[in-house]
Amino acid sequence: MLGTLSLRLRVFLFFAFLAAGGLLAVSGALVLGYRQLGDAAALSAFVTSGAVAGFAILALVTWVWMLFDENVAKALESLATDMRARAHADIERDLDQNKAKYLGDLAPAAAAVTANLSDMKNSLAQAVMRETTLLAAEKNHLEAVLNDLPTGVVLCNAQHQVVFYNGRARDLLRPLGGIGLDRCLASVLDAAPVEAAYAQLLAQPRESCADMRLEVNEGKLRLGVGMRLVEPLPDSALQPGYILTLREAPMVDTACATPILMPRETAFDFDLLHARPSQDVMDCKLGDLKYVIFDTETTGLLPERGDEVCQIAACRVVNGKMVKTEMFDTLVNPGRPIPLSATNIHGITDAMVADAPDFLTAGRAFHGFADGAVLIAHNAPFDMAFFYRKQAEIGARFDHPVLDTVLLSAVIYGQTEQHSLDALAERLNVTIPEEARHTALGDALATTEVFLKLLPMLQAKGIETFGDLLAQTKKHARLLEDLNA
């Protein structure tokens, strides 16, 4: 049981037991001496001597404990955390050896180990870079070809989750709410004919191909859809995934609109092709979860007194990587004037939000963007309070699992460190451009980078599942309210 306690707590318990043992020893000696003396008049002197000796022992043990805690236990924890950061979060700065100056040669030895580790990682990275240059060039050529295809291409796994899509597919499906990595295809296409065609292909030879015609969006858009199976990895027990090709079939008597030329960017994560069916979030490994890291800008700090949101921004993280093609960023009309004090912080004025959607519209869109994901924010109770208050009006419950980077920082660095976003960014070598600070998207991007550097550090501490992490964050609930039921 003691092995689960922190080092500093175990040191404190050691000195507490030492003080208790000293007091018991002094008390026992005085009682024995008094009984052997047999003089009742000497009781007062024995009690006085015992009190003085007891206070002296307590003072001495407390003083030694404070010195030991500050210069040994705290220094060891700080040194271990710094080494873990350099091992798992790509921190290149040298270790601060002053923190462990009373630990003899331990700090120089740790600095040498981390320096060697950094050199090995750099050498390995250079070797990998040389070997993958050709693959990167081929990948760029493949992406260019797929982006310029007049046909939309979507790759899904056996659970009908999107693994890959090209720019044309995104354009075709944009009117239906938009496509996203690791999202269920049923969120944009009618699931019944897709699942029926998939089942039919499973029963046929693998080289066969199915074609279907889908009419979606209440008849306003008609798509021709082709489907072909994609075999899983050798020796895999998983069902095969499939490729969809999408072609627009215009409706009769529909006026032609001038196309809007937009830059297209392919999005893919082929690891999702072999993803297992989803399970209870508490048992999910941290690297397997989808995350939406978000931030808000508001008219003030008191939602219960009428302050409102004036900007929402968010990033998606799938398979431990940020999906750069899937960002959420919108100004919000708060329905009330934005105080000058708030504008001075985030730069948003009444004129900027005059034509922006109201919070109910933006809130519904954000709820759809965050569907099936774990929500993450820095100081999440503040941001989530604005969404919780309007759930009934929005018509959607924000019952997502929630993580807070303040609490994640406390799990890694302990409660005595600073846990502001700026302090975390400085500690983890995350650069926040001055012009992006205190904007919703800038802070959401910074929080995403911070989380992606904290994630391997959490896993290195043996925190593998969401349930493991939740149990650890609850130990620091005095810092912030935990929003998970």
Side-chain angles (χ1 to χ4, degrees):
M1 177 180 176
L2 289 176
T4 62
L5 303 178
S6 69
L7 175 63
R8 295 179 66 190
L9 181 55
R10 280 182 281 172
V11 168
F12 170 77
L13 292 175
F14 170 78
F15 280 98
F17 289 138
L18 187 62
L23 292 176
L24 287 174
V26 169
S27 299
L30 289 174
V31 169
L32 181 61
Y34 174 72
R35 287 181 176 176
Q36 289 181 346
L37 182 61
D39 185 359
L43 178 60
S44 177
F46 273 87
V47 171
T48 302
S49 300
V52 171
F55 281 117
I57 289 173
L58 283 176
L60 180 62
V61 171
T62 300
W63 178 63
V64 174
W65 164 72
M66 291 177 66
L67 289 176
F68 202 90
D69 179 69
E70 181 66 27
N71 298 301
V72 178
K74 190 174 180 180
L76 283 172
E77 284 196 344
S78 179
L79 189 63
T81 300
D82 286 347
M83 292 180 67
R84 187 175 290 115
R86 281 149 182 79
H88 300 287
D90 295 328
I91 306 299
E92 297 294 338
R93 293 194 303 266
D94 292 337
L95 281 175
D96 182 4
Q97 298 185 35
N98 287 328
K99 294 181 179 179
K101 57 186 177 182
Y102 295 111
L103 297 180
D105 197 41
L106 180 61
V113 169
T114 54
N116 287 336
L117 175 63
S118 178
D119 291 342
M120 290 176 60
K121 289 170 66 177
N122 289 336
S123 298
L124 180 61
Q126 292 174 3
V128 170
M129 186 178 299
R130 287 193 300 269
E131 295 298 325
T132 57
T133 298
L134 180 60
L135 290 177
E138 292 178 351
K139 168 182 169 290
N140 290 336
H141 290 317
L142 175 61
E143 288 186 7
V145 170
L146 289 172
N147 279 331
D148 291 335
L149 282 177
T151 301
V153 179
V154 180
L155 177 61
C156 298
N157 61 19
Q159 289 76 48
H160 307 288
Q161 294 168 303
V162 176
V163 173
F164 164 98
Y165 60 87
N166 68 350
R168 180 56 179 160
R170 183 175 59 186
D171 292 345
L172 284 172
L173 298 175
R174 193 188 305 276
L176 309 179
I179 193 170
L181 289 181
D182 205 22
R183 290 182 176 174
C184 186
L185 189 66
S187 63
V188 288
L189 289 179
D190 185 5
V194 174
E195 292 175 358
Y198 178 67
Q200 183 179 355
L201 280 181
L202 287 177
Q204 295 178 358
R206 290 293 189 257
E207 62 273 10
S208 62
C209 179
D211 279 299
M212 68 190 89
R213 184 172 294 274
L214 295 180
E215 188 172 321
V216 294
N217 199 22
E218 299 178 354
K220 296 178 183 177
L221 177 65
R222 184 177 293 168
L223 294 176
V225 182
M227 178 185 287
R228 184 180 293 276
L229 294 182
V230 176
E231 286 298 328
L233 293 174
D235 302 324
S236 173
L238 297 174
Q239 291 276 57
Y242 56 90
I243 293 177
L244 295 180
T245 55
L246 310 176
R247 303 173 302 280
E248 187 172 5
M251 302 289 289
V252 179
D253 298 329
T254 299
C256 294
T258 302
I260 301 174
L261 299 179
M262 298 178 60
R264 294 175 178 169
E265 186 174 352
T266 298
F268 61 90
D269 189 336
F270 291 124
D271 289 339
L272 296 174
L273 193 60
H274 315 292
R276 297 286 180 181
S278 58
Q279 54 186 322
D280 181 74
V281 67
M282 299 297 286
D283 299 324
C284 279
K285 292 187 177 298
L286 295 177
D288 294 339
L289 289 167
K290 294 177 289 185
Y291 302 95
V292 166
I293 296 94
F294 75 102
D295 186 61
T296 63
E297 300 299 336
T298 65
T299 62
L301 304 177
L302 301 172
E304 69 277 5
R305 295 189 182 181
D307 282 321
E308 299 287 351
V309 171
C310 54
Q311 187 182 22
I312 308 171
C315 312
R316 291 187 83 232
V317 170
V318 177
N319 249 358
K321 298 181 286 290
M322 183 170 68
V323 186
K324 295 181 179 179
T325 59
E326 297 175 22
M327 302 282 184
F328 184 94
D329 184 20
T330 181
L331 291 171
V332 180
N333 190 330
R336 54 159 292 177
I338 301 176
L340 180 60
S341 57
T343 298
N344 288 338
I345 295 174
H346 49 57
I348 301 173
T349 64
D350 291 331
M352 293 169 63
V353 300
D355 297 324
D358 60 16
F359 183 72
L360 301 187
T361 302
R364 291 189 192 100
F366 176 69
H367 187 274
F369 181 81
D371 181 47
V374 176
L375 289 177
I376 301 178
H378 194 80
N379 192 13
F382 171 77
D383 298 281
M384 292 304 301
F386 291 92
F387 293 100
Y388 289 154
R389 288 175 61 246
K390 299 292 182 71
Q391 287 184 128
E393 298 170 65
I394 291 174
R397 286 184 54 80
F398 287 88
D399 52 1
H400 308 67
V402 179
L403 292 176
D404 195 309
T405 45
V406 173
L407 296 178
L408 301 187
S409 175
V411 171
I412 295 295
Y413 293 104
Q415 294 189 14
T416 57
E417 294 289 344
Q418 292 291 321
H419 303 298
S420 67
L421 184 56
D422 288 317
L424 266 176
E426 170 66 22
R427 200 175 295 141
L428 294 171
N429 264 10
V430 173
T431 301
I432 307 178
E434 189 60 34
E435 65 275 11
R437 187 69 174 100
H438 296 301
T439 67
L441 184 57
D443 286 355
L445 286 168
T447 305
T448 300
E449 287 192 58
V450 164
F451 171 70
L452 290 177
K453 291 202 171 188
L454 289 174
L455 184 58
M457 297 170 67
L458 292 166
Q459 293 168 325
K461 286 175 67 73
I463 302 172
E464 295 291 339
T465 67
F466 184 82
D468 295 338
L469 183 55
L470 202 59
Q472 293 298 318
T473 58
K474 288 182 181 297
K475 296 179 181 179
H476 303 281
R478 72 175 186 86
L479 290 177
L480 276 179
E481 175 191 1
D482 176 56
L483 299 179
N484 299 280

